Amino acid sequence: PLSGVSLSAQPPGGQVALGDHLVLSCTVATGTGPLSFSWHREGLGAPLGTGPCLDLPHVGDNDSGHYQCRVSDGDSVAESPPLNVTVLGERDPLAGGDP
């Protein structure tokens, strides 16, 4: 059976600036056979993607919320705890950092 499904975010904590790049990764502690992944956001019916990583290259205002990864091995399904993604306001161009 599947167990130990967890989510991690880059940047850590799921706090990302508007327009920045966010990557969510789903890991499974135990599970055998071919695993299938699907990504879900609270309130949305359709999956956001499949595969162990969800890549959001340009985060927008409407990308904040609770994300979950669902993993299936064909026999059973396990879900990660929800990860709250927070989109911070637009970057201050005077603050420096990446252009």
PDB file of all heavy atoms in Angstrom, residues 36-53:
ATOM      1  N   SER A  36       1.181   6.693 -10.354  1.00  0.00           N
ATOM      2  CA  SER A  36       0.674   7.821 -11.130  1.00  0.00           C
ATOM      3  C   SER A  36       0.340   8.955 -10.172  1.00  0.00           C
ATOM      4  O   SER A  36      -0.175   8.727  -9.076  1.00  0.00           O
ATOM      5  CB  SER A  36      -0.547   7.421 -11.960  1.00  0.00           C
ATOM      6  OG  SER A  36      -1.592   6.990 -11.129  1.00  0.00           O
ATOM      7  N   PHE A  37       0.672  10.160 -10.591  1.00  0.00           N
ATOM      8  CA  PHE A  37       0.494  11.350  -9.768  1.00  0.00           C
ATOM      9  C   PHE A  37      -0.531  12.269 -10.418  1.00  0.00           C
ATOM     10  O   PHE A  37      -0.570  12.388 -11.638  1.00  0.00           O
ATOM     11  CB  PHE A  37       1.808  12.125  -9.648  1.00  0.00           C
ATOM     12  CG  PHE A  37       2.916  11.372  -8.962  1.00  0.00           C
ATOM     13  CD1 PHE A  37       3.710  10.484  -9.672  1.00  0.00           C
ATOM     14  CD2 PHE A  37       3.173  11.564  -7.611  1.00  0.00           C
ATOM     15  CE1 PHE A  37       4.741   9.798  -9.048  1.00  0.00           C
ATOM     16  CE2 PHE A  37       4.201  10.889  -6.982  1.00  0.00           C
ATOM     17  CZ  PHE A  37       4.983   9.999  -7.695  1.00  0.00           C
ATOM     18  N   SER A  38      -1.331  12.930  -9.607  1.00  0.00           N
ATOM     19  CA  SER A  38      -2.148  14.026 -10.114  1.00  0.00           C
ATOM     20  C   SER A  38      -2.154  15.142  -9.079  1.00  0.00           C
ATOM     21  O   SER A  38      -2.052  14.899  -7.876  1.00  0.00           O
ATOM     22  CB  SER A  38      -3.572  13.569 -10.445  1.00  0.00           C
ATOM     23  OG  SER A  38      -4.236  13.109  -9.300  1.00  0.00           O
ATOM     24  N   TRP A  39      -2.252  16.369  -9.592  1.00  0.00           N
ATOM     25  CA  TRP A  39      -2.172  17.565  -8.759  1.00  0.00           C
ATOM     26  C   TRP A  39      -3.515  18.253  -8.725  1.00  0.00           C
ATOM     27  O   TRP A  39      -4.168  18.397  -9.753  1.00  0.00           O
ATOM     28  CB  TRP A  39      -1.118  18.515  -9.316  1.00  0.00           C
ATOM     29  CG  TRP A  39       0.258  17.979  -9.143  1.00  0.00           C
ATOM     30  CD1 TRP A  39       0.943  17.183 -10.013  1.00  0.00           C
ATOM     31  CD2 TRP A  39       1.104  18.155  -8.015  1.00  0.00           C
ATOM     32  NE1 TRP A  39       2.168  16.877  -9.487  1.00  0.00           N
ATOM     33  CE2 TRP A  39       2.297  17.462  -8.267  1.00  0.00           C
ATOM     34  CE3 TRP A  39       0.968  18.856  -6.806  1.00  0.00           C
ATOM     35  CZ2 TRP A  39       3.349  17.434  -7.355  1.00  0.00           C
ATOM     36  CZ3 TRP A  39       2.023  18.832  -5.902  1.00  0.00           C
ATOM     37  CH2 TRP A  39       3.189  18.131  -6.176  1.00  0.00           C
ATOM     38  N   HIS A  40      -3.893  18.689  -7.531  1.00  0.00           N
ATOM     39  CA  HIS A  40      -5.208  19.296  -7.354  1.00  0.00           C
ATOM     40  C   HIS A  40      -5.088  20.553  -6.510  1.00  0.00           C
ATOM     41  O   HIS A  40      -4.251  20.629  -5.617  1.00  0.00           O
ATOM     42  CB  HIS A  40      -6.152  18.298  -6.669  1.00  0.00           C
ATOM     43  CG  HIS A  40      -6.273  17.016  -7.434  1.00  0.00           C
ATOM     44  ND1 HIS A  40      -7.208  16.815  -8.414  1.00  0.00           N
ATOM     45  CD2 HIS A  40      -5.523  15.893  -7.398  1.00  0.00           C
ATOM     46  CE1 HIS A  40      -7.043  15.606  -8.937  1.00  0.00           C
ATOM     47  NE2 HIS A  40      -6.025  15.020  -8.335  1.00  0.00           N
ATOM     48  N   ARG A  41      -5.940  21.524  -6.824  1.00  0.00           N
ATOM     49  CA  ARG A  41      -6.024  22.714  -5.993  1.00  0.00           C
ATOM     50  C   ARG A  41      -7.439  22.826  -5.472  1.00  0.00           C
ATOM     51  O   ARG A  41      -8.397  22.569  -6.206  1.00  0.00           O
ATOM     52  CB  ARG A  41      -5.648  23.971  -6.773  1.00  0.00           C
ATOM     53  CG  ARG A  41      -5.400  25.149  -5.843  1.00  0.00           C
ATOM     54  CD  ARG A  41      -4.847  26.332  -6.572  1.00  0.00           C
ATOM     55  NE  ARG A  41      -5.912  27.192  -7.021  1.00  0.00           N
ATOM     56  CZ  ARG A  41      -5.921  27.824  -8.193  1.00  0.00           C
ATOM     57  NH1 ARG A  41      -4.938  27.687  -9.034  1.00  0.00           N
ATOM     58  NH2 ARG A  41      -6.921  28.596  -8.514  1.00  0.00           N
ATOM     59  N   GLU A  42      -7.545  23.193  -4.216  1.00  0.00           N
ATOM     60  CA  GLU A  42      -8.837  23.308  -3.552  1.00  0.00           C
ATOM     61  C   GLU A  42      -9.773  24.175  -4.387  1.00  0.00           C
ATOM     62  O   GLU A  42      -9.408  25.269  -4.812  1.00  0.00           O
ATOM     63  CB  GLU A  42      -8.590  23.971  -2.193  1.00  0.00           C
ATOM     64  CG  GLU A  42      -9.771  23.963  -1.270  1.00  0.00           C
ATOM     65  CD  GLU A  42      -9.411  24.595   0.071  1.00  0.00           C
ATOM     66  OE1 GLU A  42      -8.805  25.681   0.087  1.00  0.00           O
ATOM     67  OE2 GLU A  42      -9.715  23.972   1.087  1.00  0.00           O
ATOM     68  N   GLY A  43     -10.960  23.641  -4.651  1.00  0.00           N
ATOM     69  CA  GLY A  43     -11.955  24.411  -5.379  1.00  0.00           C
ATOM     70  C   GLY A  43     -11.928  24.205  -6.881  1.00  0.00           C
ATOM     71  O   GLY A  43     -12.831  24.651  -7.574  1.00  0.00           O
ATOM     72  N   LEU A  44     -10.887  23.535  -7.398  1.00  0.00           N
ATOM     73  CA  LEU A  44     -10.821  23.274  -8.831  1.00  0.00           C
ATOM     74  C   LEU A  44     -11.111  21.809  -9.088  1.00  0.00           C
ATOM     75  O   LEU A  44     -10.573  20.940  -8.405  1.00  0.00           O
ATOM     76  CB  LEU A  44      -9.429  23.596  -9.389  1.00  0.00           C
ATOM     77  CG  LEU A  44      -9.043  25.068  -9.510  1.00  0.00           C
ATOM     78  CD1 LEU A  44      -7.683  25.187 -10.172  1.00  0.00           C
ATOM     79  CD2 LEU A  44     -10.069  25.835 -10.320  1.00  0.00           C
ATOM     80  N   GLY A  45     -11.931  21.530 -10.097  1.00  0.00           N
ATOM     81  CA  GLY A  45     -12.277  20.149 -10.372  1.00  0.00           C
ATOM     82  C   GLY A  45     -11.202  19.400 -11.145  1.00  0.00           C
ATOM     83  O   GLY A  45     -10.836  18.289 -10.817  1.00  0.00           O
ATOM     84  N   ALA A  46     -10.677  20.048 -12.180  1.00  0.00           N
ATOM     85  CA  ALA A  46      -9.740  19.352 -13.069  1.00  0.00           C
ATOM     86  C   ALA A  46      -8.347  19.309 -12.450  1.00  0.00           C
ATOM     87  O   ALA A  46      -7.924  20.264 -11.799  1.00  0.00           O
ATOM     88  CB  ALA A  46      -9.692  20.063 -14.414  1.00  0.00           C
ATOM     89  N   PRO A  47      -7.633  18.209 -12.656  1.00  0.00           N
ATOM     90  CA  PRO A  47      -6.253  18.146 -12.170  1.00  0.00           C
ATOM     91  C   PRO A  47      -5.391  19.206 -12.856  1.00  0.00           C
ATOM     92  O   PRO A  47      -5.596  19.537 -14.022  1.00  0.00           O
ATOM     93  CB  PRO A  47      -5.779  16.747 -12.561  1.00  0.00           C
ATOM     94  CG  PRO A  47      -6.996  15.975 -12.879  1.00  0.00           C
ATOM     95  CD  PRO A  47      -8.055  16.956 -13.279  1.00  0.00           C
ATOM     96  N   LEU A  48      -4.419  19.736 -12.116  1.00  0.00           N
ATOM     97  CA  LEU A  48      -3.520  20.753 -12.651  1.00  0.00           C
ATOM     98  C   LEU A  48      -2.385  20.144 -13.442  1.00  0.00           C
ATOM     99  O   LEU A  48      -1.738  20.817 -14.228  1.00  0.00           O
ATOM    100  CB  LEU A  48      -2.926  21.575 -11.505  1.00  0.00           C
ATOM    101  CG  LEU A  48      -3.926  22.293 -10.627  1.00  0.00           C
ATOM    102  CD1 LEU A  48      -3.252  22.846  -9.396  1.00  0.00           C
ATOM    103  CD2 LEU A  48      -4.585  23.410 -11.411  1.00  0.00           C
ATOM    104  N   GLY A  49      -2.103  18.876 -13.189  1.00  0.00           N
ATOM    105  CA  GLY A  49      -0.998  18.245 -13.884  1.00  0.00           C
ATOM    106  C   GLY A  49      -0.797  16.837 -13.386  1.00  0.00           C
ATOM    107  O   GLY A  49      -1.464  16.392 -12.444  1.00  0.00           O
ATOM    108  N   THR A  50       0.098  16.131 -14.050  1.00  0.00           N
ATOM    109  CA  THR A  50       0.446  14.775 -13.655  1.00  0.00           C
ATOM    110  C   THR A  50       1.954  14.685 -13.563  1.00  0.00           C
ATOM    111  O   THR A  50       2.661  15.506 -14.151  1.00  0.00           O
ATOM    112  CB  THR A  50      -0.085  13.742 -14.675  1.00  0.00           C
ATOM    113  OG1 THR A  50       0.457  14.058 -15.952  1.00  0.00           O
ATOM    114  CG2 THR A  50      -1.595  13.756 -14.746  1.00  0.00           C
ATOM    115  N   GLY A  51       2.428  13.714 -12.843  1.00  0.00           N
ATOM    116  CA  GLY A  51       3.869  13.577 -12.656  1.00  0.00           C
ATOM    117  C   GLY A  51       4.253  14.018 -11.256  1.00  0.00           C
ATOM    118  O   GLY A  51       3.476  14.675 -10.565  1.00  0.00           O
ATOM    119  N   PRO A  52       5.456  13.658 -10.829  1.00  0.00           N
ATOM    120  CA  PRO A  52       5.864  13.915  -9.444  1.00  0.00           C
ATOM    121  C   PRO A  52       6.122  15.386  -9.127  1.00  0.00           C
ATOM    122  O   PRO A  52       6.213  15.751  -7.975  1.00  0.00           O
ATOM    123  CB  PRO A  52       7.138  13.093  -9.274  1.00  0.00           C
ATOM    124  CG  PRO A  52       7.610  12.805 -10.659  1.00  0.00           C
ATOM    125  CD  PRO A  52       6.414  12.828 -11.560  1.00  0.00           C
ATOM    126  N   CYS A  53       6.236  16.241 -10.155  1.00  0.00           N
ATOM    127  CA  CYS A  53       6.459  17.670  -9.921  1.00  0.00           C
ATOM    128  C   CYS A  53       5.406  18.488 -10.650  1.00  0.00           C
ATOM    129  O   CYS A  53       4.981  18.138 -11.745  1.00  0.00           O
ATOM    130  CB  CYS A  53       7.831  18.105 -10.409  1.00  0.00           C
ATOM    131  SG  CYS A  53       9.178  17.478  -9.418  1.00  0.00           S
TER     132      CYS A  53
END
